[in-house]
Amino acid sequence: QKEVEQNSGPLSVPEGAIASLNCTYSDRGSQSFFWYRQYSGKSPELIMFIYSNGDKEDGRFTAQLNKASQYVSLLIRDSQPSDSATYLCAVTFMGYKLSFGAGTTVTVRA
Amino acid sequence: EAGVAQSPRYKIIEKRQSVAFWCNPISGHATLYWYQQILGQGPKLLIQFQNNGVVDDSQLPKDRFSAERLKGVDSTLKIQPAKLEDSAVYLCASKGGRFEQFFGPGTRLTVL
């Protein structure tokens, strides 16, 4: 079983719509959860992190965490063409190691 | 604040040759990571340093990969000999006192 799994995508949404990205993880002891954005040919950049169950909002981004279900998601509201990228879910593993999912590619259609 | 620096940005070699990558982390960051990112996959941790000591190298193919971080600052990652499956982007990241890892631009390696 992979440590971190993401919905495979690609995900295509019209401009202004909500993009919903999902991620599940295997280590029930994981404490920290991150969403990175990676533009084509670029390195990952952190856009959201969450530690506690519930929702965390930052601008147009909302991260949702449910530790009981071992599930974390990212919502992008009012999607813009500049949001077109691959989104990587990352989870701490064994207390310190960051394990990444394979990523979900999002395309926002103008 | 300068970011994580890596060189070279691109490298093309033939299989069985050797190659080395260099990373200069953000000043003051004690933790340094090397990741391998194969096309279509997420980054995979190869090795983690805390200052000049190795914290985790469990996924480093030690028969061909080596890494060092002398003096707890710059780091080099070496592959000798390279295989076709080593074609990937090699990312260096560093972390200071907080949780966020900052990534360098990466080195794209092509093994022919």
Side-chain angles (χ1 to χ4, degrees):
Chain A
Q1 181 186 8
K2 292 182 180 178
E3 295 161 2
V4 181
E5 296 203 48
Q6 298 185 236
N7 46 337
S8 56
L11 181 65
S12 179
V13 299
E15 186 173 358
I18 295 175
S20 177
L21 308 172
N22 302 317
C23 174
T24 58
Y25 58 94
S26 61
D27 182 6
R28 188 168 289 278
S30 294
Q31 294 293 321
S32 306
F33 308 86
F34 305 86
W35 284 99
Y36 283 80
R37 178 176 62 200
Q38 187 172 29
Y39 291 114
S40 181
K42 302 296 184 182
S43 56
E45 58 176 327
L46 183 68
I47 55 171
M48 288 288 289
F49 65 91
I50 187 167
Y51 300 131
S52 304
N53 277 328
D55 295 359
K56 180 180 179 183
E57 187 174 317
D58 184 359
R60 296 185 295 108
F61 298 97
T62 299
Q64 300 173 316
L65 174 62
N66 183 325
K67 290 185 179 180
S69 300
Q70 296 176 238
Y71 174 91
V72 59
S73 66
L74 180 71
L75 299 178
I76 307 174
R77 293 185 302 281
D78 187 24
S79 295
Q80 301 298 308
S82 59
D83 295 326
S84 296
T86 296
Y87 290 81
L88 299 164
C89 174
V91 176
T92 53
F93 180 64
M94 294 176 61
Y96 66 93
K97 187 186 304 188
L98 201 58
S99 184
F100 285 84
T104 300
T105 299
V106 174
T107 301
V108 180
R109 309 187 305 272
Chain B
E1 179 182 70
V4 177
Q6 289 188 248
S7 67
R9 293 294 313 278
Y10 305 91
K11 190 73 177 179
I12 301 173
I13 61 173
E14 294 188 351
K15 60 183 178 183
R16 292 189 289 274
Q17 286 187 323
S18 62
V19 64
F21 312 128
W22 173 82
C23 173
N24 181 237
I26 293 172
S27 178
H29 280 195
T31 311
L32 185 147
Y33 309 81
W34 283 101
Y35 289 90
Q36 179 193 59
Q37 187 173 23
I38 293 172
L39 187 65
Q41 299 181 19
K44 183 184 84 170
L45 179 67
L46 293 175
I47 189 166
Q48 176 181 342
F49 291 95
Q50 181 73 19
N51 295 308
N52 60 348
V54 175
V55 173
D56 187 330
D57 63 357
S58 58
Q59 297 194 93
L60 187 73
K62 298 179 186 65
D63 57 335
R64 298 183 300 108
F65 285 65
S66 64
E68 60 182 9
R69 190 183 185 197
L70 299 176
K71 301 180 182 178
V73 182
D74 293 7
S75 178
T76 56
L77 176 69
K78 297 179 181 178
I79 307 174
Q80 181 179 8
K83 293 184 175 182
L84 296 177
E85 58 261 37
D86 298 332
S87 294
V89 175
Y90 291 84
L91 294 163
C92 178
S94 70
K95 183 170 72 75
R98 298 186 68 224
F99 52 85
E100 181 175 356
Q101 293 187 26
F102 294 87
F103 285 85
T107 296
R108 183 176 298 276
L109 174 66
T110 302
V111 182
L112 302 176

